[in-house]
């Protein structure tokens, strides 16, 4: 008997030694039919004898074989050592893999990669463990060496790698107009079209949830105010009929199935009844029903934990431009609902991410029809951080149709936006989304360029011409942008090869627009975007020029870098007929993990790696002391290069609730400076005893409780308490955030 | 002359984005004052003419029209009245449309009856005034533009030449000194 590694005792098997020696002897040419060297028998006999004297373990046997081989044929002994070493590596890899898996299964090393996932929950532990396996599989079996190496070497990061192998896509703006009007199918049943505002809002939550299971990213509604108009009308008509019967007692005026179609609540159709009491009743009841419906939606979207990790779907709703009376009612209800908050303590709703669409002549200035709603939006933002502000007049959304709100600029809450579709949908947002993103980690390219520059020294290249650090960097960046494009095409092809049955809800109901079954799912996916993201502009400029984009010289080079991104994406878009776009990546987890790896390679460099995270895309670093308008000035010079999504935020003081005039000036300033997507960060600490909301860190100033929830913005969304939900790097980033107003200087 | 500092983009003082100028030195010494470091008349920074230039430029920086706020410290203390008057008259001259607000720990009754011609003139040039000492027992963090409930917010009606309490409009002071 001998003793195996795992402690089991088994019969001595000489064949295992013979095979191992043969493998060492033949190396790559080995096959089971190859001759075994004659001395193998002597060695087997020797081991047998030793084992008779004293029961050996596997490692001891291998040591003896190695010594014996040295006597017979040293070259084979060396091959045997290499063979042993390789086997050892595989065992270690396996241990490491299962070690990681164990950490996730047991939640012993919680990283909070995604603030929306509870890594301690059953669902979270299972989901995170799955993710380890899926990531490894994707790296090993689904992509080219180029893609894998770029990812593993921290140069071009593949997002949501765990969703790669099964071929899911990222996010989608859902065509709610169609789904609510036509109804939809699920695996178990079908759902009839909505016939009241209450049902319509219920179905919005249901559809959000169903669609979010078909993909790995967020879901949005691009113009929910317009979408809901017909359902306000339907409800109004129902209530009016009830009013006629029970308030006015005029049963005979109606035929039971009289259908008014899509008639305005202000239509003179209602005047003809001459029933003011029924009309007043209908108005009152419709508003109540709408309020209840909206409140239901807010609660649903904060409670329907439907994905692995007990995640809520990432939901966003855009609204604000509808000037019809029904649309205005919806906008008001959405904002009132946001201000009201959810739960017993009226806490800030984390989902949906509300986005108010600012539009000239509609809601921007006194006298505009929805100006009152813009002011209400500001009130909500001051208290709830939502809504954010999308700029319908943004120059980058040129070519939209003013008569079609489905083409108005809208965003996925985090920042992702659907740009112009080269495959026929133009500026249409509905039914489109981001297919997949990659992110170029710019500071790593800058370090590689610097190393090459320093290596070349003054000697120059083969022709004696010395290239500047800038030229080396730009050449490398150009190469990496091209590789990023290839990586996106690789993944796009992989996604296109999936069976439509994998996302039946999406393809059967046309939530992703353009699907033609005979042509395969590519017919729908080709309208989505493929985006090249970026991380760490500020640190990159520090490496290259010891400055950043807050200073004119840094800005000059930042623009050149962005111009290259923009030009290349435009070229690829024409060449491949796919919607390549420049993306200012959220990088919620990457900002931290990329920095950890950067430090392992390069250590701590002043202004580059002396924080725990890389600065988001082209953002002004959070620690820079700049005023609120200066920050907008700086970022507005770069946001125009991004067609696939960006966000600009400013940090204000909590007291802003008492100064909505100032907020209005700030939001208007951002819109007037062509910022596409703007958000205001106000510290949002809520006392979980009394519900008081403000900025107070560890103790409630109203009741003294220390039971506090601290909400902060991450990417474009909010999450739960940042101190428990954010990863370490992001927590540090939050703590480093400098306020852009209220700072005393000389 | 001394001053404490300037907040170029302030959203916590008056309505709208403000440029807030903090005077140095205060004889009132309210318990719980959150600017106690501005009590010492010799503290803070030396006021020089270029500070005045910075204020004028700052009021319209980035093309944004700001409200001008003077806080402290006590802007209307005997030592600071001259500087406050200088600031107000310069801003009024160089930027006539800029609204001006002042925060004082003195009650309105005292401010309006000082008999000081500088103060009297000042009161016709500014738009908003927050008065009265901070009282810790009356502290309320939800109040607009002030720290304790006893403090009052006043606006100037230029046509009628009178100051009125924005919460109690019958409480008013005509600028010639008669109630």
């Amino acid at each position: 008997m001998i003793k195996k590694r795992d402690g089991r005792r088994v019969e001595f098997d000489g064949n295992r030694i013979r095979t191992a020696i043969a493998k060492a002897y033949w190396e790559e040419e080995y096959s089971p039919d190859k001759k075994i060297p004659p001395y193998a028998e002597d060695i087997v006999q020797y081991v047998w004898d030793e084992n008779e004297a004293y029961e050996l373990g596997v490692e001891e046997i291998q040591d003896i074989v190695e010594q014996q081989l040295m006597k017979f044929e040293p070259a084979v002994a060396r091959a045997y050592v290499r063979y042993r070493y390789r086997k050892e590596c595989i065992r270690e890899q396996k241990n490491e893999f299962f070690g990681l898996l164990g950490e996730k299964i047991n939640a012993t090393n919680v990283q909070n990669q995604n603030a929306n996932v509870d890594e301690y929950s059953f669902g979270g532990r299972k989901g995170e463990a799955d993710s380890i396996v899926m990531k490894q599989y994707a790296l090993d079996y689904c992509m080219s060496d180029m893609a894998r190496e770029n990812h593993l070497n921290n140069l071009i990061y593949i997002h949501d790698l765990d969703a790669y192998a099964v071929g899911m896509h990222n996010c989608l703006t859902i065509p709610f107009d169609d789904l609510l009007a036509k109804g939809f199918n699920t695996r178990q049943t079908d759902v009839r079209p909505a016939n009241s505002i209450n049902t319509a809002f219920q179905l919005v939550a249901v559809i959000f949830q169903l669609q979010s299971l078909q993909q790995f990213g967020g879901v949005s509604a691009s113009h929910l105010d317009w979408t809901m108009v017909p359902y306000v009308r339907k409800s109004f008509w129902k209530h009016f009929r009830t009013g006629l019967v029970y308030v006015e007692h005029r049963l005979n005026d109606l035929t039971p199935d009289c259908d008014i179609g899509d008639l305005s609540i202000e239509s003179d159709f209602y005047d003809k009844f001459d029933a003011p009491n029924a009309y007043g009743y209908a108005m009152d009841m419709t508003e109540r029903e709408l309020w209840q419906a909206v409140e239901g939606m807010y609660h649903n979207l904060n409670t329907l934990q439907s994905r692995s990790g007990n995640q809520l779907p990432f939901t966003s709703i855009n609204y604000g431009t509808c000037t019809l009376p029904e649309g205005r009612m919806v906008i008001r209800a959405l904002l009132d609902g946001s201000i009201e908050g959810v739960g017993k303590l009226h806490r800030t709703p984390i989902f949906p991410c509300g986005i108010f669409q600012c539009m000239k002549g509609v809601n921007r200035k006194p006298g505009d029809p929805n100006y009152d709603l813009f002011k209400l939006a500001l009130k909500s933002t001051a208290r709830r951080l939502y809504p954010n502000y999308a700029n319908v007049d943004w120059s980058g959304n040129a070519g939209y149709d003013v008569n079609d709100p489905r083409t108005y600029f809208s965003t996925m809450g985090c920042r992702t936006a659907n740009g112009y579709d080269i495959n026929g949908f133009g500026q249409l947002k509905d039914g489109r989304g981001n297919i997949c993103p990659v992110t170029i980690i710019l500071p790593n390219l800058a370090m590689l360029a610097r190393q090459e520059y320093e290596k070349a020294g003054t000697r120059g290249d083969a022709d004696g011409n010395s290239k500047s650090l800038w030229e080396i960097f730009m050449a490398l960046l150009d190469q990496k942008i091209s590789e990023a494009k290839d990586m996106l095409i690789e993944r796009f092809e992989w996604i296109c090869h999936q069976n439509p049955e994998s996302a039946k809800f999406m393809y059967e109901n046309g939530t992703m627009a353009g699907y033609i079954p005979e042509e395969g799912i590519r017919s729908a996916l080709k309208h989505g975007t493929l985006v090249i993201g970026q991380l760490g502009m500020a640190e990159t400029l520090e490496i290259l020029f010891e400055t950043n984009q807050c200073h004119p010289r840094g800005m000059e080079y930042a623009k050149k870098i962005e111009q290259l991104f923009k030009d290349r994406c435009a070229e690829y878009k024409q060449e491949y007929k796919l919607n390549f776009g420049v993306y200012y990546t959220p990088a919620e987890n990457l900002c931290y993990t990329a920095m950890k790896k950067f430090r392992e390679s390069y250590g701590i460099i002043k202004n580059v790696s002396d924080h725990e995270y890389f600065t988001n895309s082209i953002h002004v670093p959070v620690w820079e002391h700049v005023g609120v308008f200066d920050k907008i000035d700086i970022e507005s010079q770069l946001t125009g290069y991004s067609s696939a999504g960006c966000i600009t935020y400013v940090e204000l003081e909590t007291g802003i609730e008492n100064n909505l005039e100032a907020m209005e000036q700030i939001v208007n300033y951002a819109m007037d400076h062509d910022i596409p997507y703007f958000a205001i960060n106000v510290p949002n600490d809520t006392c979980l005893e009394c519900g008081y909301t403000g900025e107070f860190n560890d103790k409630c100033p109203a009741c003294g409780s220390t039971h506090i929830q601290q909400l902060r913005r991450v990417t474009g969304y909010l999450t739960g308490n940042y101190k428990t939900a954010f990863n370490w790097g992001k927590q540090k980033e939050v703590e480093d955030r400098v306020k852009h107003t209220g700072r005393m200087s000389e | 002359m001394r001053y404490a500092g300037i907040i170029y983009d302030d959203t916590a003082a008056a309505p709208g984005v403000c440029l807030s100028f903090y005077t140095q030195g205060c004889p009132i010494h309210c318990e719980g004052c959150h600017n106690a470091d501005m009590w010492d008349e010799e503290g803070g920074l030396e006021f020089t003419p270029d500070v005045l230039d910075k204020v004028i430029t700052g009021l319209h920086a980035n093309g944004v029209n700001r409200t001008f706020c003077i806080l402290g410290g006590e802007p209307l203390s005997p030592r600071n009245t001259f500087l406050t008057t200088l600031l107000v008259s310069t801003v009024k001259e160089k930027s006539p449309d800029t609204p001006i607000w002042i925060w004082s720990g003195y009650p309105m009754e005292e401010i309006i009856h000082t008999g000081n011609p500088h103060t009297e003139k000042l009161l016709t040039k500014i738009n908003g005034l927050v008065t009265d000492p901070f009282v810790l027992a009356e502290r309320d963090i939800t109040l607009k533009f002030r720290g304790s409930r006893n403090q009052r917010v006043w606006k100037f009606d230029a046509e009628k030449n009178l100051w009125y309490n924005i919460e109690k409009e019958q409480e008013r002071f005509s600028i010639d000194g008669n109630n």
Side-chain angles (χ1 to χ4, degrees):
Chain A
M1 302 290 270
I2 66 151
K3 206 195 250 171
K4 303 241 317 175
R5 283 191 185 79
D6 60 10
R8 271 182 297 152
R9 296 174 67 244
V10 297
E11 285 298 328
F12 177 89
D13 179 2
N15 275 332
R16 296 183 75 97
I17 298 176
R18 288 183 196 100
T19 309
I21 292 172
K23 279 183 178 168
Y25 182 85
W26 292 103
E27 298 204 62
E28 272 83 52
E29 282 128 50
Y30 171 79
S31 64
D33 58 323
K34 286 274 165 75
K35 143 181 118 73
I36 298 168
Y39 48 76
E41 273 322 303
D42 298 320
I43 295 175
V44 170
Q45 189 57 49
Y46 184 88
V47 176
W48 171 263
D49 293 343
E50 290 281 307
N51 194 47
E52 285 295 288
Y54 172 79
E55 192 177 289
L56 296 170
V58 173
E59 290 296 324
E60 289 163 306
I61 293 175
Q62 290 183 347
D63 288 345
I64 295 168
V65 172
E66 199 180 310
Q67 288 159 10
Q68 291 296 310
L69 278 174
M70 283 303 284
K71 286 193 206 150
F72 290 103
E73 199 171 352
V76 177
R78 279 192 291 277
Y80 181 78
V81 170
R82 285 197 294 275
Y83 165 77
R84 262 183 95 178
Y85 175 72
R86 276 199 303 275
K87 294 281 267 190
E88 181 68 29
C89 285
I90 292 167
R91 266 195 303 279
E92 260 178 33
Q93 265 179 7
K94 203 170 133 192
N95 283 342
E96 204 180 312
F97 183 73
F98 277 96
L100 273 176
L101 214 53
E103 284 179 357
K104 294 300 180 190
I105 291 170
N106 300 311
T108 50
N109 182 17
V110 167
Q111 299 278 346
N112 292 324
Q113 294 187 37
N114 171 339
N116 192 12
V117 176
D118 178 359
E119 291 183 34
Y120 290 105
S121 67
F122 287 136
R125 286 157 57 188
K126 189 165 178 301
E128 290 292 303
D130 281 351
S131 154
I132 298 260
V133 179
M134 297 302 268
K135 281 179 182 171
Q136 196 60 47
Y137 186 86
L139 283 170
D140 290 348
Y141 301 105
C142 308
M143 65 182 71
S144 66
D145 291 349
M146 179 277 291
R148 184 186 316 110
E149 280 164 25
N150 271 321
H151 180 79
L152 293 177
N153 290 319
N154 222 15
L155 298 171
I156 306 174
Y157 183 84
I158 301 170
H159 290 272
D160 300 281
L161 188 57
D162 48 359
Y164 195 122
V166 293
M168 275 180 167
H169 86 283
N170 182 7
C171 61
L172 193 77
T173 301
I174 297 175
F176 278 109
D177 298 357
D178 294 344
L179 269 90
L180 294 177
K182 294 178 191 153
F184 53 90
N185 297 322
T186 67
R187 210 170 75 200
Q188 291 82 1
T189 185
D190 72 285
V191 175
R192 288 189 296 271
N195 236 332
S196 72
I197 190 65
N198 198 7
T199 311
F201 267 108
Q202 288 266 354
L203 291 183
V204 164
V206 169
I207 294 166
F208 266 145
Q209 188 194 5
L210 286 165
Q211 176 58 32
S212 79
L213 296 169
Q214 316 278 302
Q215 48 170 77
F216 59 79
V219 279
S220 76
S222 66
H223 56 288
L224 196 57
D225 44 356
W226 294 92
T227 301
M228 287 299 172
V229 167
Y231 308 100
V232 173
R233 290 176 175 175
K234 283 177 195 288
S235 280
F236 187 86
W237 172 233
K238 282 185 191 179
H239 293 307
F240 183 75
R241 284 167 46 148
T242 310
L244 271 186
V245 176
Y246 294 101
V247 182
E248 306 262 4
H249 304 290
R250 282 162 52 183
L251 192 57
N252 301 332
D253 286 17
L254 291 170
T255 52
D257 53 353
C258 169
D259 186 356
I260 54 141
D262 196 21
L263 209 58
S264 166
I265 60 172
E266 289 182 352
S267 160
D268 54 10
F269 168 82
Y270 289 107
D271 297 340
K272 288 180 198 145
F273 286 92
D274 191 24
N277 291 327
Y279 192 86
Y281 169 83
M283 190 61 91
D284 204 24
M285 292 308 284
T286 305
E287 274 176 358
R288 281 196 214 181
E289 185 190 340
L290 171 61
W291 167 250
Q292 205 60 49
V294 165
E295 205 179 25
M297 183 194 68
Y298 277 111
H299 281 79
N300 279 335
L301 296 182
N302 285 288
T303 48
L304 294 170
Q305 300 177 349
S306 60
R307 286 209 292 209
S308 71
N310 296 2
Q311 280 191 71
L312 294 169
F314 279 89
T315 51
S316 309
I317 52 173
N318 293 261
Y319 55 87
T321 61
C322 185
T323 53
L324 298 170
E326 300 89 350
R328 286 176 44 79
M329 275 167 75
V330 172
I331 299 169
R332 182 172 298 282
L334 288 169
L335 289 168
D336 282 343
S338 166
I339 293 167
E340 178 77 7
V342 292
K344 284 185 197 133
L345 292 171
H346 299 269
R347 284 151 74 171
T348 296
I350 290 174
F351 288 108
C353 172
I355 300 143
F356 190 86
Q357 294 168 293
C358 287
M359 190 173 182
K360 278 185 188 155
V362 173
N363 54 29
R364 291 282 310 279
K365 297 278 147 77
D368 289 352
N370 282 1
Y371 177 67
D372 56 333
L373 298 172
F374 175 49
K375 294 220 302 195
L376 189 61
L378 294 168
K379 186 177 166 193
S380 173
T381 304
R383 189 162 180 75
R384 303 298 186 189
L385 288 98
Y386 291 150
N388 301 336
Y389 297 85
N391 190 351
V392 174
D393 302 299
W394 178 48
S395 58
N397 199 45
Y400 79 91
D401 179 357
V402 75
N403 296 315
D404 186 356
R406 298 176 308 160
T407 66
Y408 291 3
F409 183 69
S410 65
T411 73
M412 195 66 60
C414 69
R415 67 193 65 188
T416 312
N418 295 321
Y420 190 89
D421 175 30
I422 194 168
N423 291 314
F425 286 164
Q427 291 292 16
L428 180 75
K429 311 303 176 199
D430 284 18
R432 299 176 56 211
N434 172 248
I435 305 304
C436 53
V438 292
T439 292
I440 298 181
I441 304 170
L442 295 172
N444 284 316
L445 302 193
M447 289 307 290
L448 289 181
R450 199 164 89 175
Q451 282 173 346
E452 192 182 320
Y453 176 69
E454 281 163 5
K455 208 164 69 190
T458 50
R459 285 178 290 114
D461 63 15
D463 301 326
N465 303 316
S466 56
K467 278 193 197 157
S468 69
L469 173 56
W470 170 248
E471 288 166 327
I472 296 171
F473 172 78
M474 286 301 271
L476 182 59
L477 177 61
D478 204 3
Q479 179 200 329
K480 289 297 164 189
I481 292 175
S482 169
E483 289 176 11
K485 171 257 301 171
D486 292 335
M487 288 164 73
L488 287 171
I489 292 175
E490 238 179 60
R491 190 171 187 176
F492 179 75
E493 293 298 336
W494 186 270
I495 292 170
C496 284
H497 280 92
Q498 304 307 316
N499 190 325
E501 294 293 311
S502 302
K504 209 168 171 178
F505 175 79
M506 177 161 76
Y507 290 116
E508 196 175 289
N509 296 302
T511 56
M512 189 181 273
Y515 176 50
I516 302 166
E518 304 76 56
E519 291 180 20
I521 61 174
R522 178 188 292 267
S523 56
L525 289 160
K526 70 179 182 189
H527 301 291
T529 62
L530 301 177
V531 299
I532 303 181
Q534 54 183 276
L535 178 66
M537 172 64 81
E539 288 84 358
T540 302
L541 293 169
E542 289 286 351
I543 296 167
L544 298 175
F545 303 109
E546 295 183 347
T547 182
N548 67 30
Q549 68 271 37
C550 299
H551 309 281
R553 193 168 122 85
M555 176 58 83
E556 186 191 326
Y557 286 105
K559 284 182 177 171
K560 288 180 181 166
I561 292 172
E562 293 312 327
Q563 191 66 49
L564 184 66
F565 271 101
K566 189 180 173 179
D567 289 347
R568 288 294 178 259
C569 282
E571 288 161 27
Y572 301 150
K573 193 167 175 173
Q574 289 302 328
E575 185 180 343
Y576 298 93
K577 296 286 178 245
L578 288 170
N579 296 307
F580 286 95
V582 183
Y583 186 45
Y584 292 167
T585 315
E588 176 185 343
N589 188 46
L590 185 63
C591 74
Y592 169 55
T593 54
M595 176 55 88
K596 262 195 357 195
K597 289 183 188 156
F598 182 94
R599 283 181 174 182
E600 280 163 21
S601 304
Y602 306 112
I604 291 183
I605 303 170
K606 191 167 168 277
N607 293 335
V608 175
S609 53
D610 50 359
H611 294 87
E612 305 280 339
Y613 48 85
F614 278 123
T615 296
N616 194 289
S617 62
I618 54 83
H619 283 182
V620 169
V622 294
W623 60 83
E624 282 280 353
H625 290 253
V626 294
V628 57
F629 302 109
D630 290 338
K631 181 165 198 283
I632 295 170
D633 281 349
I634 294 166
E635 293 187 5
S636 67
Q637 295 180 60
L638 296 170
T639 48
Y641 293 95
S642 163
S643 58
C646 61
I647 188 169
T648 287
Y649 359 83
V650 295
E651 305 285 327
L652 303 186
E653 298 149 284
T654 351
I656 197 72
E657 251 188 279
N658 283 330
N659 197 348
L660 298 181
E661 296 89 344
M663 252 181 77
E664 186 177 340
Q665 275 179 295
I666 292 167
V667 174
N668 276 330
Y669 189 85
M671 296 298 124
D672 290 341
H673 282 72
D674 210 25
I675 293 279
Y677 182 39
F678 186 65
I680 289 175
N681 290 346
V682 184
N684 185 297
D685 299 338
T686 302
C687 173
L688 298 179
E689 304 283 344
C690 75
Y692 180 79
T693 301
E695 179 177 23
F696 42 87
N697 298 318
D698 51 355
K699 199 172 147 208
C700 171
C703 77
S705 165
T706 53
H707 194 198
I708 307 289
Q709 179 193 45
Q710 298 190 280
L711 285 188
R712 299 291 184 271
R713 190 184 303 277
V714 57
T715 72
Y717 296 112
L718 305 181
T719 56
N721 197 339
Y722 86 92
K723 290 206 167 165
T724 52
F726 285 20
N727 69 61
W728 176 246
K730 207 75 197 167
Q731 281 184 39
K732 298 313 277 181
E733 191 253 279
V734 167
E735 282 158 17
D736 288 347
R737 288 178 187 176
V738 168
K739 293 240 172 27
H740 301 116
T741 57
R743 197 165 28 79
M744 182 79 85
S745 56
E746 287 176 14
Chain B
M1 278 190 301
R2 317 287 297 171
Y3 76 110
I6 298 169
I7 301 179
Y8 287 94
D9 293 309
D10 194 1
T11 54
V17 178
C18 307
L19 184 147
S20 296
F21 184 97
Y22 283 79
T23 56
Q24 180 72 32
C26 174
I28 305 174
H29 298 195
C30 305
E31 188 194 351
C33 170
H34 79 78
N35 287 341
D37 53 333
M38 299 179 194
W39 288 354
D40 179 5
E41 288 182 337
E42 304 308 322
L45 309 154
E46 176 70 25
F47 184 84
T48 52
D50 64 297
V51 178
L52 205 51
D53 294 340
K54 279 197 219 166
V55 166
I56 299 299
T57 320
L59 283 171
H60 301 283
N62 312 84
V64 172
N65 297 325
R66 290 167 182 74
T67 299
F68 181 51
C69 300
I70 309 177
L71 314 91
E74 174 50 57
L76 300 179
S77 73
R79 284 257 308 233
N80 281 332
T81 303
F82 176 73
L83 175 58
T84 301
T85 312
L86 173 71
L87 287 165
V88 169
S89 52
T90 313
V91 167
K92 227 43 241 169
E93 182 198 329
K94 300 264 169 84
S95 174
D97 294 332
T98 296
I100 304 176
W101 281 57
I102 292 179
W103 274 253
S104 170
Y106 297 119
M108 188 60 154
E109 293 75 3
E110 249 178 72
I111 298 169
I112 211 125
H113 294 138
T114 50
N116 181 337
H118 285 304
T119 315
E120 192 116 317
K121 217 168 144 197
L122 193 71
L123 288 177
T124 62
K125 287 184 178 168
I126 64 174
N127 310 72
L129 194 55
V130 180
T131 66
D132 302 291
F134 171 73
V135 176
L136 195 53
E138 299 274 315
R139 175 174 176 267
D140 180 349
I141 46 178
T142 64
L143 292 172
K144 232 172 161 170
F145 311 130
R146 60 211 151 112
S148 61
R149 279 183 290 267
N150 64 299
Q151 293 176 307
R152 292 171 291 175
V153 182
W154 307 82
K155 277 192 177 169
F156 184 56
D157 183 335
E159 270 175 33
K160 296 182 185 148
N161 220 26
L162 60 84
W163 282 91
Y164 62 93
N165 182 336
I166 61 163
E167 285 175 335
K168 268 197 281 181
E169 292 217 11
Q170 70 277 25
E171 192 178 0
R172 47 182 62 192
F173 289 92
S174 176
I175 206 64
D176 57 18
N178 305 320
N179 285 20

